[in-house]
Structures are given as structure tokens and as C-alpha cells.
């Protein structure tokens, strides 16, 4: 029997801050309090202009008074900060527990303007509250979309997110669209100064200086702007020290069916963007994104929007700007972002502090944004670089979906004749890019799911194995079918020695009360093989399994000394099938990452024949 030997695979390259202790997930890392607060403030500075832009534009369009405008500003800062705490720290089943900064969504601005001009603010808040409830209700179904986002789709999404943010950066760089000195030499030089300071500190700085490159650059740029008379601190003195808006300050919410439908559609678009942002954060931090985690992020969006509507806030979603900051600083701690949420709450409670932050000139902010948004684009390109292109249609998927995604940015007038719900979809480049990438991937890569992913060890192909080996893998699937027919979970595994002889064959026997939770098909099979074969024979043996070994099973394979694993269904695909089923809380940790931590190499081939393997699970987990 011939076999394909694949070189060892290391774990994902998750960069850590210089003083991060080894072995700890950067997302859960706790930094010193002072540094946490400082880095959290940096996140707020990055997204502050975006947070205040939505209430400012809406207030101006609806002709609100200065007092009402300040009320909306404070309310959205307060709600955004609270939503960030939910998303980062978690609240029961709400919140992804990832470094996601929440703020008022630009996607909802257009429908809110439409509703506000037609019916007034009370109907705006009524539709926001109702749309938040709808979002919570659909979150479990939307979370299953993660299986439609292989690396080629994720890479497209991250790339389009970064590119689509560039018009905002350009607008800030010019001094703010509509300003009298837009595009002036002074504004461009301030932006250039901020870019140079950021690049120099990030490229040559060490430790805290490197992490705070953006914040330091914003401070330097603002200082130079103050000397040049390009910023005004007078409004800081005019702002009050403390102020809290009462709930429903504009009156009792009014429900209008058409308005609720339009806002609910906007929330679906927001969820598509949230998917991209969550997957981007997962890629940058190295944290696995499961349907459960994605659903928790969706529920947090819905809860924050629902409660925020009562508190005079608008629909929220994760801000892409902060994704670039995380990629650039390599500080992945969710507690840093939680600290930023606390700062936002403080800004919402203390208008004078918020006025001080608002003094950062748009041109300076634009300079920092160029670097950060560019880093987001670079993260997408890095993800696409890991995709297999030879012998696949992935190049076509990338070419078309990225092009479609940048259309609204490249030519905003292209869809100007459309309004209402259709305009929401057509004007969102991220949504268009996501839809194009998912559909093209499903249509063009249907025959070989493995080639959607990363070349080499991260994916397997049927051509890597002999016909006899494929038959052995299908035999493991038949064992899974038998296990299901006997009322047990549909998993099967066999162990074959170096001469091609099956020495062990087991189905899953972990289902209580009769079964043992540790008796997965793989653990049972390798244990039986270990009682039959010597250490030298085990090293030449292969485990064929209907699904990728979980962390426990991978550990069992490692300690029994089996030298090779061939699996059909990937852990990621299995997650999409089992969802939140309590009988199988899938451990979303690729077996290669478990093996990579050991001192002995285990060859892994897979996923293979996924459609056949998935068929065994049809209707079982629902």
C-alpha cells in the first residue's frame, strides 16, 4: 500500500505582544491596567469619528436642535460602549467574546433618514427596537452561514472590507467632506505627518511604543494642528461636565410595518458585515469562529440594537476600523477593547471629555486611517495568499467577487437610481462582495471542496490517495452509518497496519446513559489497535475516520503512537452540521494544531470526500 506523506504543520501564526506569556490565547490575555486603558483609548480614537458621524448626519438632516444633537451623540456613545462590553466580555449567550468594538452603523443611516423624514424620530426608534428583536430571533439560523465561508471567501471579505473603508479615510484626510478647506495643502500635510509618525513608530519602535503608534501619531498630529490653527478646543469649555439622556427622550416609539421591514433588512445587511468582521478578527487573532460564536455575535448586535432604541441609540455593528488596528498592533486582548467600551461609556456620560476627543482634526484622523485600513486590506491579501489556485476556480472567485465588492465605492452613482431596501443591498460593497464570493464558490468549487482551502497540509485531495485507501475511508463511513442505525452518533473509524490489514474497527459509543463520553470512534479504534500492535507497528499504521479527530481523539492518536491520520469530514464542516446540538458540542480545534504541539510527527491527510461523509449526518442533528 502506498501512502502520501505530508510535512508537519505548525499552528496558525498568531503574533503575540512582546510580554505575552507563552501558551496563552492572546484574545484572553490580560495586560497591566494602565496599558489596557491606554490601548483601549486608542481604539476609541480610531472609531470615534465614525460613531459620532451617524447621529450628526441624522440630526442635521432632520433639523434637530443643538441640544437634541448632543443628546443623540451622548446616547450613541453610551450605547456603543455598553454594546462593546457585551460583545467582548459576553452576557450569557450574547457576545462573541472577541475584541470587537461596537458603534452606530452607517448601513442603517440611509433607512433611518428615509423613515425619519417620512414619519419622524419616534418611528425611527420604533423600527430600531423591532429590528433588534428580529435580529435576535434569526441569529441561530444566520450563524450557520459560517460553513459557507472557506478561506477563499474569508480572504475576499477582509480585502473588500479594507478597500471599502478607503473613501472614508480619504474624506478625513482632506479635512472632512464639505469643509471649506477640503483638500488643502495644510490638511494633506497633517495627514502625511500622521502617516509618517505611525509608520516610523510601528516599524522601528519596540514594546509599548510600537503598540501605541497610532495613538502617539494622533497626539502629535493634533498638537501640530493646534499650533497651525487647524483645530479648535473652544467647544471643550462650552461642553457640560456630566449629562445622561433619559430613555425615550424623543417620545414613545411608534411602529410602522413598512419601516420595520426596511430596518430589519438593514439589520440583515449588518449581520453580513458582522460575519465578515468576526471572521476577520478570528483570522487575525487565531481564534476559531464557530456557528455558536457567530450566533452569539449576532445576538449581541440584536440585543444592543433593541435596548439601544429605548436609550435613544441606533443600530450597531462591529467597526472594521478597529480590525486594522488589531492587525497592526498585534494586541489581540478582548479586555483592551472592553476598556475601550468603558471609555466610550465615559465619553457618553461626560460630554466635556468627549468634546476633547472630538478635537482631533479629521485630516490627522485620516492619516492614521490610511495605515490602519491598509493593514486590514493586507490581512485579506495574506489570507488569499494561502488559498490553493492551481487546478481550481478560486482565482475567478476572487477576481469577480472583489471587483463586485468595490463597485459601490468606485462608482457611487452606479446605483443612485435605486432606493429603499434595494439600495441598502446595492450600496453595500461588503454585502455584494460576500454574496458574490459565497455564490461563486458554491457554484465553481462544487466538485472539490478541499481546494477551497489552504494548499498542502490544510486540505487533502482524492488524488493524494490510492483507490484502495479511498475504499478504506469509505469503510469508516459505513461504520458511521452502522453506528447511526444502532441509535448512536454517526461516527466511525478503522485502523490499518503498515501491510494494509484492518486491525481495529469501531463506531461511536459515547451517547449516555449506556455509552462512555470518552468512547469516540477514534479513541476506541486506536485503543484497540494499541492492544494488538507494537510501537513500531503503530508508527506505520493509519487511522481512517469519517470525521476529523477532536482534540481528545487527537491526543489519543498521539499517545498511542499511530503515525498517520486520514479523515473525511472536517471539524469546521461538522460544526455546520451539528450547530448548537448539546449532544455534540463540537470542539473547534483542528487536529493538526494538537499534533503540532507534540514532539512526535503525525501525518494528516484531509478533508476528503466531505459530501459523502456529510450525507451520513443528514437529518440527524436537527
Amino acid at each position: 500500500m502506498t501512502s502520501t506523506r505530508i510535512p508537519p504543520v505548525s499552528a496558525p501564526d498568531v503574533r503575540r505582544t512582546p510580554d505575552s506569556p507563552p501558551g496563552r490565547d492572546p484574545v484572553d490575555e490580560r495586560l497591566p491596567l494602565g496599558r489596557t486603558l491606554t490601548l483601549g483609548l486608542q481604539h476609541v480614537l480610531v472609531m470615534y469619528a465614525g460613531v459620532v458621524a451617524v447621529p450628526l448626519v441624522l440630526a442635521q438632516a432632520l433639523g434637530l436642535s443643538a441640544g437634541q444633537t448632543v443628546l443623540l451623540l451622548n446616547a450613541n456613545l453610551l450605547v456603543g460602549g455598553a454594546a462593546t462590553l457585551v460583545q467582548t466580555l459576553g452576557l450569557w449567550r450574547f457576545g462573541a467574546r472577541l475584541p470587537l468594538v461596537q458603534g452606530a452603523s452607517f448601513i442603517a443611516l440611509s433607512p433611518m433618514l428615509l423613515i425619519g423624514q417620512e414619519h419622524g424620530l419616534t418611528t425611527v426608534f420604533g423600527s430600531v427596537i423591532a429590528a433588534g428583536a428580529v435580529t435576535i430571533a434569526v441569529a441561530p439560523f444566520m450563524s450557520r452561514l459560517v460553513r459557507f465561508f472557506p478561506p477563499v471567501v474569508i480572504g475576499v471579505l477582509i480585502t473588500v472590507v479594507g478597500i471599502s473603508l478607503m473613501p472614508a479615510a480619504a474624506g478625513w484626510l482632506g479635512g472632512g467632506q464639505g469643509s471649506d478647506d477640503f483638500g488643502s495643502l495644510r490638511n494633506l500635510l497633517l495627514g502625511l505627518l500622521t502617516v509618517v509618525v505611525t509608520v516610523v513608530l510601528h516599524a522601528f519602535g519596540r514594546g509599548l511604543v510600537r503598540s501605541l503608534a497610532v495613538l502617539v501619531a494622533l497626539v502629535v498630529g493634533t498638537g501640530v494642528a493646534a499650533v497651525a490653527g487647524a483645530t479648535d478646543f473652544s467647544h471643550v469649555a462650552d461642553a457640560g461636565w456630566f449629562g445622561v439622556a433619559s430613555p425615550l427622550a424623543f417620545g414613545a416609539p411608534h411602529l410602522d410595518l413598512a419601516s420595520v421591514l426596511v430596518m430589519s433588512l438593514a439589520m440583515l445587511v449588518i449581520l453580513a458585515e458582522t460575519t465578515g468582521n468576526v471572521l476577520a478578527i478570528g483570522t487575525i487573532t487565531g481564534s476559531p469562529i464557530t456557528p455558536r460564536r457567530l450566533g452569539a455575535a449576532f445576538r449581541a448586535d440584536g440585543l444592543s440594537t433593541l435596548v439601544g432604541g429605548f436609550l435613544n441609540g441606533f443600530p450597531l455593528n462591529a467597526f472594521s476600523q478597529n480590525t486594522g488596528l488589531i492587525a497592526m498592533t498585534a494586541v489581540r486582548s478582548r479586555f483592551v477593547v472592553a476598556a475601550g467600551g468603558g471609555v466610550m461609556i465615559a465619553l457618553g456620560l461626560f460630554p466635556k471629555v468627549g468634546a476633547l476627543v472630538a478635537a482631533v482634526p479629521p485630516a490627522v484622523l485620516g492619516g492614521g486611517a490610511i495605515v490602519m485600513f491598509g493593514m486590514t486590506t493586507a490581512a485579506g491579501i495574506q489570507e488569499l495568499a494561502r488559498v490553493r489556485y492551481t487546478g481550481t476556480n478560486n482565482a475567478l472567485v476572487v477576481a469577480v467577487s472583489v471587483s463586485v465588492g468595490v463597485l459601490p465605492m468606485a462608482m457611487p452613482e452606479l446605483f443612485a437610481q435605486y432606493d429603499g431596501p434595494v439600495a441598502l443591498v446595492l450600496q453595500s460593497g461588503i454585502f455584494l462582495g460576500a454574496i458574490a464570493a459565497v455564490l461563486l464558490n458554491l457554484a465553481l468549487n462544487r466538485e472539490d471542496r478541499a481546494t477551497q482551502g489552504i494548499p498542502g497540509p490544510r486540505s487533502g485531495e482524492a488524488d493524494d490517495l490510492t483507490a484502495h485507501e479511498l475504499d478504506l475511508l469509505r469503510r469508516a463511513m459505513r461504520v458511521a452509518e452502522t453506528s447511526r442505525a444502532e441509535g448512536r452518533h454517526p461516527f466511525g473509524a478503522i485502523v490499518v497496519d503498515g501491510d494494509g490489514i484492518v486491525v481495529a474497527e469501531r463506531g461511536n459509543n459515547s451517547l449516555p446513559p449506556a455509552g462512555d463520553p470518552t468512547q469516540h470512534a477514534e479513541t476506541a479504534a486506536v485503543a484497540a489497535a494499541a492492544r494488538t500492535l507494537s510501537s513500531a507497528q503503530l508508527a506505520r499504521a493509519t487511522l481512517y475516520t469519517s470525521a476529523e479527530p477532536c482534540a481528545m481523539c487527537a491526543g489519543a492518536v498521539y499517545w498511542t503512537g499511530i503515525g498517520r491520520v486520514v479523515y473525511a469530514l472536517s471539524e469546521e464542516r461538522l460544526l455546520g452540521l451539528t450547530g448548537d446540538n448539546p449532544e455534540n458540542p463540537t470542539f473547534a480545534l483542528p487536529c493538526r494544531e494538537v499534533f503540532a504541539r507534540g514532539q512526535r510527527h503525525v501525518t494528516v491527510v484531509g478533508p476528503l470526500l466531505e459530501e459523502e461523509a456529510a450525507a451520513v449526518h443528514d437529518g440527524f442533528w436537527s
Side-chain angles (χ1 to χ4, degrees):
M1 180 183 72
T2 61
S3 63
T4 301
R5 294 292 172 184
I6 297 177
V9 183
S10 60
D13 180 19
V14 180
R15 293 171 53 202
R16 300 179 184 275
T17 52
D19 51 359
S20 298
R24 179 182 294 178
D25 185 346
V27 170
D28 294 325
E29 182 181 9
R30 295 178 184 269
L31 303 178
L33 180 60
R35 189 177 182 196
T36 297
L37 292 175
T38 305
L39 291 170
L41 175 61
Q42 183 173 238
H43 275 284
V44 174
L45 290 173
V46 166
M47 49 79 72
Y48 184 84
V51 171
V52 301
V54 173
L56 280 175
V57 172
L58 186 70
Q60 184 179 22
L62 299 183
L64 301 184
S65 66
Q68 290 174 319
T69 302
V70 171
L71 188 153
L72 285 180
L73 286 171
N74 287 349
N76 279 276
L77 283 168
L78 182 65
V79 171
T84 299
L85 292 180
V86 172
Q87 199 69 274
T88 54
L89 303 181
L91 178 65
W92 189 47
R93 299 182 67 184
F94 296 85
R97 292 170 173 82
L98 286 171
L100 295 166
V101 180
Q102 300 289 105
S105 173
F106 281 94
I107 294 174
L109 180 58
S110 178
M112 286 194 298
L113 286 173
L114 182 67
I115 296 168
Q117 291 167 346
E118 183 72 21
H119 302 289
L121 267 179
T122 56
T123 305
V124 169
F125 289 120
S127 61
V128 167
I129 293 169
V134 170
T135 302
I136 295 174
V138 303
F141 307 100
M142 294 292 291
S143 65
R144 297 180 185 272
L145 290 177
V146 70
R147 62 187 174 132
F148 296 110
F149 289 83
V152 64
V153 176
I154 295 174
V156 167
L157 267 175
I158 300 173
T159 302
V160 172
V161 165
I163 295 174
S164 65
L165 288 169
M166 280 304 166
W172 293 334
L173 181 66
Q177 289 182 321
S179 61
D180 294 335
D181 62 343
F182 184 79
S184 67
L185 180 61
R186 183 177 68 178
N187 286 335
L188 296 179
L189 289 176
L190 283 173
L192 177 61
L193 172 66
T194 308
V195 171
V196 171
V197 173
T198 303
V199 170
V200 170
L201 292 180
H202 187 264
F204 302 105
R206 294 292 182 270
L208 186 61
V209 173
R210 179 186 176 97
S211 299
L212 296 178
V214 174
L215 179 59
V216 173
L218 292 178
V219 171
V220 171
T222 302
V224 173
V227 173
T231 188
D232 181 14
F233 290 96
S234 63
H235 60 283
V236 177
D238 298 334
W241 281 104
F242 184 83
V244 181
S246 60
L248 302 177
F250 293 90
H254 176 260
L255 294 178
D256 173 74
L257 180 59
S259 299
V260 170
L261 291 175
V262 170
M263 192 62 70
S264 296
L265 177 60
M267 287 303 300
L268 293 181
V269 179
I270 287 173
L271 292 188
E273 287 214 82
T274 295
T275 300
N277 289 325
V278 169
L279 292 173
I281 289 293
T283 299
I284 292 170
T285 63
S287 295
I289 304 302
T290 66
R292 183 189 299 271
R293 202 170 202 178
L294 195 56
F298 292 162
R299 281 189 289 270
D301 279 353
L303 178 66
S304 302
T305 299
L306 189 156
V307 176
F310 285 101
L311 299 177
N312 315 298
F314 300 140
L316 301 106
N317 70 336
F319 266 48
S320 306
Q321 295 94 317
N322 299 87
T323 302
L325 181 60
I326 292 171
M328 192 180 74
T329 63
V331 177
R332 272 79 164 176
S333 173
R334 59 190 174 102
F335 300 106
V336 165
V337 175
V343 172
M344 289 173 64
I345 292 175
L347 293 176
L349 295 175
F350 302 101
K352 192 176 288 291
V353 179
L356 183 63
V357 176
V360 176
V364 173
L365 189 62
I370 286 176
V371 181
M372 291 180 296
F373 299 170
M375 289 295 290
T376 301
T377 305
I381 294 173
Q382 287 176 330
E383 182 71 10
L384 290 174
R386 301 165 63 216
V387 172
R388 183 193 298 271
Y389 293 97
T390 304
T392 75
N393 291 308
N394 281 328
L396 191 59
V397 173
V398 173
V400 175
S401 53
V402 170
S403 298
V404 169
V406 301
L407 282 177
M409 178 198 71
M411 182 62 67
E413 298 83 4
L414 182 62
F415 304 120
Q417 67 269 33
Y418 300 98
D419 52 21
V422 176
L424 292 177
V425 174
L426 296 180
Q427 292 171 6
S428 173
I430 298 173
F431 186 77
L432 289 180
I435 292 297
V438 169
L439 294 180
L440 286 171
N441 179 63
L442 289 174
L444 301 180
N445 287 326
R446 181 173 53 190
E447 297 301 323
D448 187 3
R449 298 296 184 205
T451 59
Q452 299 171 7
I454 299 168
R458 281 288 299 270
S459 60
E461 294 182 46
D463 292 343
D464 292 337
L465 304 182
T466 65
H468 176 60
E469 287 184 296
L470 290 175
D471 287 340
L472 290 171
L473 187 58
R474 289 189 172 98
R475 177 169 172 174
M477 296 182 204
R478 290 194 294 273
V479 175
E481 292 174 347
T482 301
S483 181
R484 174 175 178 169
E486 294 174 351
R488 294 178 281 132
H489 287 171
F491 300 100
I494 63 174
V495 176
V496 180
D497 67 13
D499 296 321
I501 299 173
V502 177
V503 297
E505 178 176 299
R506 295 290 188 275
N508 183 281
N509 191 32
S510 64
L511 192 62
D516 178 351
T518 66
Q519 288 299 294
H520 290 192
E522 298 93 333
T523 56
V526 299
R531 291 190 291 268
T532 304
L533 304 178
S534 66
S535 297
Q537 290 172 321
L538 285 168
R540 298 177 58 233
T542 298
L543 170 71
Y544 294 88
T545 175
S546 64
E548 183 177 1
C550 69
M552 178 184 71
C553 295
V557 170
Y558 179 84
W559 287 112
T560 54
I562 287 178
R564 185 166 175 257
V565 174
V566 177
Y567 69 89
L569 195 65
S570 69
E571 193 83 332
E572 179 182 1
R573 183 69 182 276
L574 179 62
L575 268 174
L577 297 172
T578 61
D580 294 338
N581 193 299
E583 289 188 6
N584 197 79
T586 303
F587 204 132
L589 180 65
C591 65
R592 289 184 175 89
E593 295 187 28
V594 178
F595 295 139
R597 295 295 191 270
Q599 301 180 42
R600 182 179 61 78
H601 171 54
V602 179
T603 298
V604 180
V605 181
L608 297 162
L609 308 176
E610 283 204 276
E611 297 304 322
E612 294 181 38
V616 182
H617 296 261
D618 283 348
F620 185 87
W621 303 105
S622 57

